[in-house]
Amino acid sequence: MPRFLLRHALLPDGWHDDVLVTVDAAGRIASVAPDQSAGDAILLDGPVLPGLANLHSHAFQRAMAGLAERSGPTADSFWTWRETMYRFAARLAPADIEAIASQLYAEMLEAGFTAVAEFHYVHHQADGTRYDDPAELSWRILAAAEASGIGLTHLPVLYRYGGFGRREPQPRQRRFLHDSDAFAALLHKLAPAFRNRHDRRLGIAPHSLRAVSPEMLQAAIAALDGIDAAAPVHIHIAEQLAEVDESLAWSGRRPVEWLLDQGVVNGRWCLVHATHLTSGETLRLAQSGAVAGLCPTTEANLGDGLFPAMDYMAAGGAIGIGSDSHISVDAAEDLRLLEYGQRLFQRSRNLLAGGPDRSTGRRLFEAAAAGGAQAVGQPMGAIAAERRADFVLLDGEAPALAARRGDAVLDSWIFCGQRRPMIREVWVGGQRVVEQGRHLRAGEFAARYRQTLRRLLEE
Ligand code: ZN
């Protein structure tokens, strides 16, 4: 049984020194005991955190990060960005998607994310023709996860319509589309690859209330229940005011209100963005047990709006973070921006600390670790028995962490952004995947990624 000695570690009950962790052959933590000495254990000599889940990813979008920052002929918005994204998505071959995802997942691991929920909506060829194997692009995502060593919750996206009330999709959306039967068949084809793995989970992502009918939503959940009745269900919701207005016109109810009224939302759900909420919706969502999937850097980049994090967290709502479009892949930056959005709006400080005399960084990190683990449905998010042995070793020698201990480590990692990487090593299931701040296969992935991008963008 491998044993680790963690010099200074965040456990569920707070910070401890010299924590001896035993790990079983499957990579799960068997026992945790502070204040030990063990000369033969693997020493993680610095501050150690549990790994975070990145609960919202569209992997291919990493390759277009930075390419939608030029102003267009008319006012730019989420909807004009989406046009750029559709043009980019149309060019990608299966090998391109695998190359981009491998590079991205290595970057996520270097940033302290040890699992990702991949909200996977490009399924078919550019003209909508199925690949010989309809799961081709899902296998590419799985291959990228295997190569990088990241935990994967795969969420095939159900997408059928172009707008509320069964509007027909546009030709550019052909790569995304399924009917209920084809979607259920896809799930059944994928399921065996996800069974009995603590680092793999299969869930579903009805894309949004724009893209599925109420009947299709029900059928998709029923199909998933036949495979795994506790598996995650993620949905984009209320990211844009136009979506709220269209929902009101369609049903007389706002998107989150409509979904909560269906009586199906519970702890297996992740409502991604949920940006535009009334105070009533905020309270109901917090009480539902679902996770609000927040993507602060992408939401800022797209000009979505500001999630009411103070009221929601004060009501006990669960949150997690995702890098979504991957305009930034940095857990610390997303947590920082979550707090800074509130500060700029409220003109005050330490707003998400959760009470007097508490560390803002600690509260944000613990909330994202717990909510992220719940949203991806993997045993992670804490250094504790039965969880996967995921460790993030910060660089105790980094100037920004000098003479910091306990919560000050988290506050400094999250708020003192600096160019030098503050993460030294990352372990997933007891296996080291990042060393000296670099993924073990970083060079190989980056070379393939550069080659892929040259071809995609220069041809
Ligand atoms: Zn998204």
Side-chain angles (χ1 to χ4, degrees):
M1 237 185 213
R3 306 199 302 165
F4 292 82
L5 191 68
L6 317 182
R7 187 65 82 204
H8 186 53
L10 180 63
L11 304 185
D13 67 345
W15 290 91
H16 292 274
D17 290 337
D18 300 318
V19 179
L20 186 65
V21 179
T22 57
V23 176
D24 70 19
R28 279 193 196 240
I29 295 173
S31 67
V32 179
D35 304 313
Q36 305 291 308
S37 60
D40 59 333
I42 299 163
L43 177 65
L44 301 190
D45 196 8
V48 181
L49 305 170
L52 285 172
N54 188 330
L55 58 62
H56 192 61
S57 166
H58 309 289
F60 77 87
Q61 293 179 12
R62 177 58 170 166
M64 56 171 280
L67 298 181
E69 308 301 322
R70 279 179 71 87
S71 58
T74 55
D76 289 289
S77 68
F78 169 85
W79 307 103
T80 56
W81 171 86
R82 196 175 73 157
E83 293 305 311
T84 308
M85 183 270 285
Y86 281 167
R87 280 197 300 275
F88 191 77
R91 315 181 70 161
L92 301 171
D96 302 334
I97 289 178
E98 184 176 339
I100 296 166
S102 301
Q103 169 68 18
L104 171 68
Y105 294 167
E107 292 174 6
M108 284 186 189
L109 286 159
E110 290 174 357
F113 292 117
T114 57
V116 58
E118 183 64 35
F119 199 106
H120 175 75
Y121 63 90
V122 181
H123 297 288
H124 316 306
Q125 299 181 46
D127 64 358
T129 309
R130 273 47 181 163
Y131 289 103
D132 291 344
D133 180 345
E136 172 72 33
L137 297 183
S138 287
W139 299 131
R140 298 293 181 152
I141 292 294
L142 200 60
E146 291 288 340
S148 68
I150 201 165
L152 174 70
T153 294
H154 189 54
L155 304 170
V157 170
L158 177 60
Y159 203 122
R160 169 64 185 85
Y161 296 107
F164 284 95
R166 299 185 169 84
R167 262 211 321 267
E168 277 311 307
Q170 303 163 12
R172 300 164 300 175
Q173 296 167 328
R174 288 180 294 217
R175 293 198 85 169
F176 317 154
L177 306 177
H178 280 103
D179 61 27
S180 289
D181 290 345
F183 186 71
L186 174 66
L187 294 181
H188 283 283
K189 182 146 207 191
L190 291 169
F194 292 82
R195 222 166 268 145
N196 303 321
R197 292 274 304 258
H198 59 57
D199 58 350
R200 298 284 176 263
R201 196 81 189 255
L202 180 66
I204 60 169
H207 178 274
S208 58
L209 299 180
R210 304 192 302 271
V212 298
S213 66
E215 295 74 22
M216 288 188 84
L217 181 61
Q218 273 186 354
I221 295 168
L224 181 63
D225 284 349
I227 295 167
D228 177 353
V233 180
H234 291 213
I235 187 168
H236 287 136
I237 201 154
E239 180 178 8
Q240 292 292 319
L241 285 173
E243 178 193 338
V244 176
D245 292 342
E246 286 171 20
S247 177
L248 283 165
W250 166 66
S251 68
R253 284 176 278 183
R254 303 165 59 85
V256 171
E257 179 186 21
W258 185 90
L259 187 64
L260 292 172
D261 284 350
Q262 306 310 301
V264 294
V265 174
N266 56 26
R268 75 192 294 200
W269 282 73
C270 178
L271 276 63
V272 180
H273 306 303
T275 309
H276 299 287
L277 301 177
T278 62
S279 52
E281 286 175 308
T282 304
L283 193 62
R284 285 181 68 196
L285 179 56
Q287 291 167 345
S288 73
V291 176
L294 308 179
C295 310
T297 51
T298 291
E299 288 155 10
N301 183 268
L302 296 178
D304 287 344
L306 202 57
F307 176 80
M310 280 180 66
D311 291 345
Y312 177 79
M313 290 176 74
I319 63 148
I321 54 165
S323 55
D324 190 359
S325 71
H326 314 301
I327 189 67
S328 161
V329 181
D330 182 340
E333 187 181 3
D334 265 315
L335 293 171
R336 182 190 321 141
L337 193 57
L338 177 58
E339 165 74 18
Y340 280 179
Q342 304 298 310
R343 290 189 191 189
L344 289 164
F345 190 70
Q346 305 282 344
R347 299 192 293 274
S348 185
R349 301 188 72 251
N350 295 323
L351 291 164
L352 299 177
D357 201 25
R358 294 183 58 179
S359 153
T360 305
R362 167 93 175 264
R363 172 100 185 296
L364 290 170
F365 183 86
E366 288 186 330
Q374 179 185 327
V376 301
Q378 294 182 31
M380 57 181 300
I383 298 171
E386 304 294 317
R387 305 295 178 107
R388 195 168 62 222
D390 292 3
F391 307 122
V392 174
L393 171 65
L394 298 178
D395 182 2
E397 301 298 310
L401 299 182
R404 306 304 203 263
R405 282 182 57 77
D407 293 347
V409 170
L410 276 169
D411 286 330
S412 300
W413 174 52
I414 291 170
F415 290 101
C416 308
Q418 65 165 34
R419 270 175 295 181
R420 174 174 166 160
M422 278 195 257
I423 292 174
R424 198 160 77 200
E425 290 182 14
V426 177
W427 298 69
V428 182
Q431 303 288 325
R432 182 160 50 189
V433 292
V434 171
E435 195 174 25
Q436 298 297 334
R438 289 256 295 169
H439 190 276
L440 298 177
R441 296 177 66 179
E444 170 200 337
F445 292 159
R448 184 164 51 139
Y449 180 79
R450 277 192 294 268
Q451 202 176 36
T452 300
L453 270 275
R454 271 198 293 268
R455 192 170 40 70
L456 283 172
L457 298 177
E458 288 169 8
E459 71 189 14

